[in-house]
Structure formats: structure tokens, C-alpha cells
Amino acid sequence: MAEWETIKPENKALGWFEERLPILSLVHNVVGPGTPTPRNLNYWWNFGSLAGLMLVIQILSGVVLAMHYTPDTAVAFDSVERIVRDVNYGWLLRPMHANGASFFFIAVYIHILRGLYYGSYKAPREVLWMLGLVIFLLMMATAFMGYVLPWGQMSYWGATVITNLFSAIPFVGEDIRTLLWGGFSVDNPTLKRFFSLHFLLPFVIFGVVILHIWAKKVSDSGNPLGIEVKSGADQIPFHPYYTIKDAFGMGVFFLIFAYFIFFAPDALGHPDNYIPANSMVTPDSIVPEWYFLPFYAILRSITFDIGIPGTDITFISAKLLGVIAMFASILLLFALPWLDTSKVRSARFRPTYRWFFWFLVADLVLLTIVGGRKPEGIYPLLGLLGTAYYFAHFLVIMPILGFKEKTLPLPESIANPVVKAAE
Amino acid sequence: MTMKFTKNIAVALIAIAGVAGAASASSKADKEPIKQVWSFEGVTGKYDQAAVQRGWQVYQQVCSACHSLKYFKFRNLAGMGYEDDMIKAFAKEYEVAGEPDDAGDETVRAALPQDTFPAPFPNENAARASNGGALPPDLSLIVKARHDGANYVYSLLTGYSDAPAGRDIAEGKSYNGYFKGGQIGMASPLSEGIIDYEGGMPATQEQMARDVVQFLMYVAEPKLEDRKHMGFSVMLFLLAMTIIFYLSMKKIWKPVKEGKNFYED
């Protein structure tokens, strides 16, 4: 961690305040001119601040939507239509919030993949990485509950499928499900508690984001070379260099985001959610939002019980196994700093890992495809293979690769990226 | 190396986007909707006002016998090019429930612009009873509630035909290859000449279907033109902003690119 610089504002009143609550110093030292940052960060490092920005946009648009939305099964759907039709700029606010969730996930997924490629999770950044995963989990919960609020067919049936999963947990499962429902099926109490939690969780995320940034301040940013900062020559001040670079990235990202809001507001949604929820009619296929598809595929990939063959005895039912696999697929990322045994951080100097990284990306694409299809024909098999490969990547390939891989020589320093061995 | 990484990620993302799009396209109808060109599509798309007005006539004279439009208020007619006094006149032709009178008895009154277009049936059971058990859905959002909605509704309305050989069609149902399962509880609602268009346009089945789709799209999204209009300004603004940020970045970063050392040690 770089030395902490104290700011002494010229302005008397400001100085008085700063002495009592050094907020300017905080900004100065965390994302300001007093924040030495590796000079070689590439555009993949833009997505952290973009994710933060999306969180702010979601909170702001969400707070206004909540002023007009009514969490009651009788009128929830109508109240959303009323927002779009009769509230000033409601037609803008709603697609902004709905597509905002998608773009929040896009930013976060790229941010996570960046971390996987450049080994950002490795010492000394394990806690930084884990806090990121906590944010990711909270985001998933928030997005899932948010999708229930418009009370369309997909809202209702998505909520039914996902909450039913919890009943697979031994002993306490049924109780957990009842607690989520607030009754004996997805109904009015469910909608009301989901609304309440959907409002609350973003602020919890905000809190964890602060911890995440704090941890970043302590361990400093990583960089594409994955080597430590050796001297001042390796660094530049965060402001103005990375603030302007982030601003440019924001411009590009917002252009794409705006395109979706204004010209394709329903492209990422499902038409069935324009049909009011109806517990008597099951949709053709129940699919979650695109950002959940890989995990949904993992969930559905397991279709066999584990037990003693040839008897009726089952230890773990297929359903429970699917639920375990789905949660494990994310929870195991918490152990990644230790599962990856390589001494080298960046995939730039890990020629074999680079291949496996792209295999993993391909596997996630495959799982996304499978998650969106009905479990018929070839898809269940593909889902099972994709799931198996996903776990193999983290539990088998990563640990072994660290020992076997012949890594490339690391450069001497960030400022002088000449390969050491070449000297 | 970064370039390759960039390219690879781009390819992966495009693949995911394509998949997510295709993923929702699961339908069990015999035929895929016929592709039509619609004036409201595309980034500069607008409603064809004359067609929307004709479609409103089709809805009023045909569809409104069975289908409600619960999010459509008479005042929404303003967005279709009607003047206030015309809207009042339109509304006056319909009756809606009024406030109870002094004795507490129910009353009816002529509709006002702020009223919703009255539904043909008082409740779901009545609607089913009149339609051989099938429920005519509310049409306010129908174009958005179906995959490829505009083409779908058009195809459905023009897609009645004899059932393929060997296919049994239940009493009171019709065969329609675009409908999920093929058997629909709505008899073909549009037959040639069923409407006398005000402008004298020949009322072919295709014409009426196209017009009513324009109208239903308008009902589903009255703010479509505002949205696209504002979209242009916003995108232009963002583009200018992004270019300014880019140029500033190039200028600010110059010393860094030239290898300037900011810290002593």
C-alpha cells in the first residue's frame, strides 16, 4: 500500500471539515492523484469502475421505479404498465432498469474473466477476490428477485422453479422454502418480501463494494504482466490518467447500453413476461434471464440419483445433486486462489493456461446455449459434459497445471518490460 | 497478445448474445411467422398513422366483440392523430360504470377520454362461455407477448387453412398452422370486405391484418416514437462525449507514453 497523503485544503471551512472527517484525503488516496497505479493497465481494467457505475444507475432508477410500483399480485403487473404508459419518462426508466441489470452483469462477467485471465485472485489479493464473489452472489439474488416483481409469467414460474430448489436440501429444505414463500406457494407474501429484499440488497452490495475497493487499496491493483510494482517508475497517479481512461470506456459502454434502451428495449427480455402471471398455465419452457443460463444448465445437468446400484437406496437425489452443483460452481471460486498452484499470475506467461482459459470461456458459452434450450435431444448430454468440464477446470486442471506448466520468463519490471532471461 | 484476447472475448460475447436470442425461440406451431416489413421497425421506425387509424376501425368493428384492451384509454387516440373533440365523440358512444347514485344504486354514464376502452365481457367465465371454452386474451400487449409478435399476429390472422390430412380438429376449433398446437378457439375473424374502410381502401384480409397489427403495436407501445426520437439525441450526445473523452485521454496520456517518471525512487 502506498503511503497515505493528507490533504490540506486552502479553504478555511473545508480545512476545518477535512480535519474532522478527511473525506477529500480518502478520495485523493483511493482514486485520486495520490493513488499510485501500475502504468500498464489495459482496457480490461475498465470494467470494475463500469460495474460500480451500473450499480449506481440501478439504485437511482430503482428508487424512482419503487415510488410508482405496487408489490401486490392483484396490481403489480398493471402498476408496471402504468409506469411505462402514464408516469413521466416511465417508458425510459423501466427499460433502463431492466437492461441495466443485463449490462451490470456484462460488466461484472468481463471483470471476473479479466481476473481469471490475469490471475487477479492470487496472493495478496485473495480477500479482494472473495469480496468480489460476495458481490456477485448478492447481485444474483437481487436480480432474481427483481425479475419476479413485474409479475409476468416468467416472473412467477421462474420464482416457482428456483424457490422449489431449496426444498431439496435435507431436513431444513421445506422450511426454507416456506420461509421464502411466506406461505404454501409463490403468492402475494412472496412478492412482497422479494420487493422488500430487492430494495435492500443493492445497498448491502454497495457496502461490500466499499470493502472491495478498500481491499484493492491495501493490495494495490494488479496489472497485465502480473508482476509486482518494483519502483516508482512502474506507476502513474490514478487521477487524471485512469479517471480519463475510465471516462472514455464509460462513453463506449454507455453507447451500447443506450442502443439497447432506446432501440431494442425488449431484446434481452422474454415475451412471456408480457403475459400476467397465471398459476394455472405453465409456459412452454421456463428460462431465466440470459445471465443465469450457465448456472441453470449446471442445475439441470444432473439427472441421476446417487445411491446403491440395484437397490432403491438413494443417498443424494438428482435434484439435490443439481442444486449442490449449481451452488458449488460459484462457491468453488472462493477456493480458486489455492486451487491455482502456479507461481505466475498472468496468462501472458502461461502458454498452456491460456488455452485452458479459452476452453473455459467456450464451456461457459456452451452451458449458456444448453441453459436456454429445452432438456431434449443432445442438450442434456452436452449440459452434463459442460458441467463436468467446468468442475474439472477448477478442481483438476488448475491444481495440476501449476506444477506441470513451463511458464515463460517474466519481464524485469513494468516500466522496463524486457524479458529478464534475454539479458 | 492483448489484441488476440480482445478479439477472442468479442467472439465469445457475440456467441453468447446470439445464443441468448435464439434461446427464447421455442415454439410448437407448425409454421414460422411470415416475415413482413413494418414501418415501426428499425432505428428510425414510425407508426404509419393512416394504417393505425384503419386498424383501430378493424379493432372496434371486429375484435372488440371478444377481446378487451385494458391498457388502452380513449385519450391514447390523441397519439394516433385524432383531435380532442373527435376523441370525446368516440368515447361518448360507449357506456361505462359510473359512481353509485344518492340511493346507492349503480349507474352508467357515457365514457370520457380518461376512461379505458370497455371490455366485451364482465369476467373470464363470461368470456369463455361465449367462446366455446376458449379465453380471448386481452390484446393490449399481445404484440410484445409473443415471439416475433407483429409477424406472428399478422400470420395468425391470415393463416387459417384446411387442416393437414389426418389431423382431427375438435368441434368449435379451427386449424391455424401458426398457432401453438394448431387448433385455435377463434374462428377466422377477418374475411374480405367485412369492413368498410373510411378512406375507401379495399378491405382484403391481408390489408385488415396489417392495419390491425399496426394498431395493436401502437397500443402495446404508445411511446415508441418518443423513445426512438430521444434515442437519437442521446446517442449523438454520448458519441460526442466519447470522442471528447478519447481526445482528452490521448492528450493527457502523452507524457506517460513518452515514459515520464512521476515518482522519484
Side-chain angles (χ1 to χ4, degrees):
Chain A
M1 183 159 100
E3 226 158 280
W4 194 267
E5 296 173 8
T6 314
I7 295 283
K8 295 206 170 63
E10 301 269 319
N11 181 303
K12 271 237 169 84
L14 220 56
W16 178 90
F17 188 84
E18 184 68 13
E19 260 174 36
R20 282 148 186 87
L21 185 72
I23 202 121
L24 292 177
S25 302
L26 185 71
V27 172
H28 176 86
N29 285 287
V30 177
V31 287
T35 317
T37 311
R39 67 193 304 148
N40 61 334
L41 300 189
N42 58 30
Y43 282 110
W44 298 111
W45 262 260
N46 276 52
F47 290 89
S49 66
L50 282 175
L53 208 60
M54 287 315 299
L55 175 64
V56 173
I57 289 180
Q58 289 305 87
I59 289 180
L60 293 179
S61 55
V63 164
V64 182
L65 285 170
M67 293 174 186
H68 301 282
Y69 169 77
T70 312
D72 187 301
T73 53
V75 288
F77 190 94
D78 292 347
S79 78
V80 172
E81 274 308 309
R82 213 188 68 82
I83 290 172
V84 175
R85 286 158 193 271
D86 296 336
V87 170
N88 286 335
Y89 295 103
W91 60 266
L92 172 60
L93 220 48
R94 193 215 174 182
M96 195 159 146
H97 197 72
N99 287 291
S102 280
F103 277 78
F104 194 179
F105 273 97
I106 290 175
V108 162
Y109 279 144
I110 297 178
H111 190 59
I112 295 176
L113 286 176
R114 194 287 316 270
L116 288 178
Y117 189 83
Y118 293 110
S120 307
Y121 46 85
K122 291 194 196 227
R125 300 188 181 82
E126 302 93 322
V127 172
L128 174 56
W129 167 256
M130 291 195 273
L131 286 167
L133 291 173
V134 171
I135 294 172
F136 179 46
L137 285 171
L138 287 168
M139 270 175 75
M140 293 178 98
T142 310
F144 163 66
M145 289 190 277
Y147 195 56
V148 177
L149 303 184
W151 208 242
Q153 273 290 68
M154 274 305 152
S155 301
Y156 177 85
W157 288 99
T160 302
V161 169
I162 301 298
T163 49
N164 266 318
L165 295 179
F166 287 88
S167 69
I169 301 170
F171 310 116
V172 289
E174 302 272 339
D175 293 331
I176 294 179
R177 190 178 61 179
T178 309
L179 192 69
L180 287 171
W181 283 347
F184 300 101
S185 67
V186 173
D187 210 333
N188 213 14
T190 326
L191 179 61
K192 283 176 194 284
R193 63 193 53 196
F194 278 18
F195 176 57
S196 168
L197 292 172
H198 182 73
F199 202 115
L200 169 73
L201 286 185
F203 297 94
V204 178
I205 295 179
F206 200 88
V208 185
V209 166
I210 290 174
L211 297 181
H212 188 67
I213 296 174
W214 183 8
K216 186 213 90 155
K217 173 66 193 167
V218 173
S219 59
D220 286 335
S221 293
N223 69 80
L225 294 176
I227 56 176
E228 292 301 332
V229 165
K230 300 251 164 59
S231 71
D234 290 345
Q235 295 170 306
I236 54 176
F238 189 91
H239 181 76
Y241 299 102
Y242 287 113
T243 33
I244 186 68
K245 194 170 177 177
D246 280 351
F248 168 59
M250 179 194 77
V252 175
F253 192 75
F254 275 18
L255 271 167
I256 305 170
F257 182 30
Y259 177 82
F260 273 84
I261 296 175
F262 291 105
F263 299 111
D266 294 318
L268 297 170
H270 196 291
D272 277 21
N273 230 24
Y274 278 109
I275 306 171
N278 184 343
S279 60
M280 310 301 282
V281 180
T282 321
D284 261 2
S285 59
I286 303 171
V287 281
E289 294 271 84
W290 69 267
Y291 38 79
F292 289 138
L293 289 176
F295 304 102
Y296 193 54
I298 292 177
L299 168 77
R300 293 193 305 179
S301 68
I302 313 250
T303 47
F304 47 85
D305 298 327
I306 291 191
I308 301 172
T311 67
D312 281 344
I313 303 168
T314 38
F315 299 129
I316 308 180
S317 68
K319 187 175 169 195
L320 177 59
L321 210 56
V323 174
I324 292 174
M326 182 176 73
F327 283 110
S329 69
I330 297 171
L331 294 180
L332 96 120
L333 295 175
F334 280 89
L336 182 58
W338 298 276
L339 288 171
D340 179 354
T341 50
S342 176
K343 296 224 158 35
V344 175
R345 289 198 190 97
S346 172
R348 257 189 216 183
F349 306 105
R350 301 186 60 187
T352 323
Y353 171 64
R354 207 150 64 213
W355 277 104
F356 283 111
F357 173 84
W358 289 113
F359 287 156
L360 179 71
V361 172
D363 188 46
L364 289 169
V365 172
L366 173 78
L367 286 171
T368 306
I369 297 174
V370 173
R373 297 301 167 98
K374 286 192 186 173
E376 294 165 354
I378 185 82
Y379 292 109
L381 180 65
L382 287 177
L384 189 61
L385 291 176
T387 302
Y389 184 78
Y390 180 91
F391 284 99
H393 175 90
F394 291 104
L395 297 176
V396 182
I397 296 171
M398 290 303 272
I400 295 178
L401 202 58
F403 296 114
K404 298 270 175 200
E405 185 176 35
K406 204 170 145 357
T407 57
L408 303 177
L410 294 176
E412 186 183 289
S413 73
I414 295 172
N416 186 21
V418 194
V419 171
K420 249 192 268 172
E423 286 172 27
Chain B
M1 222 173 292
T2 318
M3 268 310 287
K4 201 168 137 224
F5 183 36
T6 316
K7 219 173 75 196
N8 287 340
I9 280 233
V11 170
L13 283 178
I14 290 167
I16 293 180
V19 164
S24 54
S26 80
S27 87
K28 282 187 298 182
D30 295 354
K31 298 188 223 167
E32 285 292 311
I34 313 162
K35 296 276 172 238
Q36 294 270 307
V37 179
W38 299 103
S39 67
F40 47 77
E41 284 173 340
V43 289
T44 54
K46 279 188 166 53
Y47 289 117
D48 171 350
Q49 202 170 78
V52 174
Q53 294 192 358
R54 286 195 302 272
W56 158 236
Q57 206 185 331
V58 176
Y59 170 76
Q60 266 185 307
Q61 292 179 23
V62 185
C63 323
S64 72
C66 303
H67 293 281
S68 60
L69 277 187
K70 65 177 170 179
Y71 298 120
F72 189 68
K73 309 224 165 87
F74 287 101
R75 65 174 158 79
N76 292 131
L77 288 166
M80 293 164 41
Y82 291 107
E83 303 296 332
D84 282 355
D85 44 342
M86 289 169 88
I87 295 172
K88 281 196 188 115
F90 269 134
K92 240 188 4 225
E93 290 170 31
Y94 294 87
E95 277 188 341
V96 295
E99 294 284 307
D101 64 15
D102 289 345
D105 293 324
E106 315 234 318
T107 62
V108 289
R109 60 168 171 80
L112 294 167
Q114 65 267 33
D115 286 317
T116 305
F117 192 85
F121 301 105
N123 53 52
E124 183 180 328
N125 290 1
R128 283 191 192 274
S130 308
N131 284 285
L135 177 69
D138 184 86
L139 293 184
S140 326
L141 284 166
I142 196 80
V143 186
K144 290 190 165 218
R146 294 290 179 276
H147 185 71
D148 196 10
N151 289 324
Y152 170 75
V153 175
Y154 173 83
S155 308
L156 186 81
L157 293 174
T158 55
Y160 287 84
S161 65
D162 292 333
R167 191 76 161 263
D168 277 337
I169 299 299
E171 176 77 32
K173 305 268 176 197
S174 314
Y175 176 74
N176 190 317
Y178 299 98
F179 189 65
K180 192 174 69 182
Q183 288 198 49
I184 186 164
M186 165 171 77
S188 175
L190 295 173
S191 46
E192 177 124 19
I194 194 172
I195 295 269
D196 256 338
Y197 272 136
E198 267 150 28
M201 168 83 83
T204 61
Q205 191 182 55
E206 287 78 14
Q207 186 63 45
M208 289 184 289
R210 276 190 70 83
D211 292 345
V212 84
V213 167
Q214 279 269 354
F215 170 71
L216 291 175
M217 183 69 211
Y218 170 76
V219 175
E221 208 181 334
K223 301 283 170 56
L224 177 135
E225 289 179 7
D226 291 350
R227 164 162 74 72
K228 293 187 178 178
H229 193 76
M230 185 191 272
F232 262 99
S233 323
V234 171
M235 298 282 284
L236 272 179
F237 169 81
L238 284 174
L239 189 65
M241 191 184 84
T242 308
I243 292 172
I244 292 171
F245 282 151
Y246 179 76
L247 296 174
S248 316
M249 181 179 77
K250 284 286 148 192
K251 186 151 187 275
I252 291 174
W253 271 74
K254 214 158 166 255
V256 180
K257 296 281 176 205
E258 285 163 357
K260 178 176 171 193
N261 197 345
F262 293 82
Y263 299 97
E264 292 310 305
D265 56 341

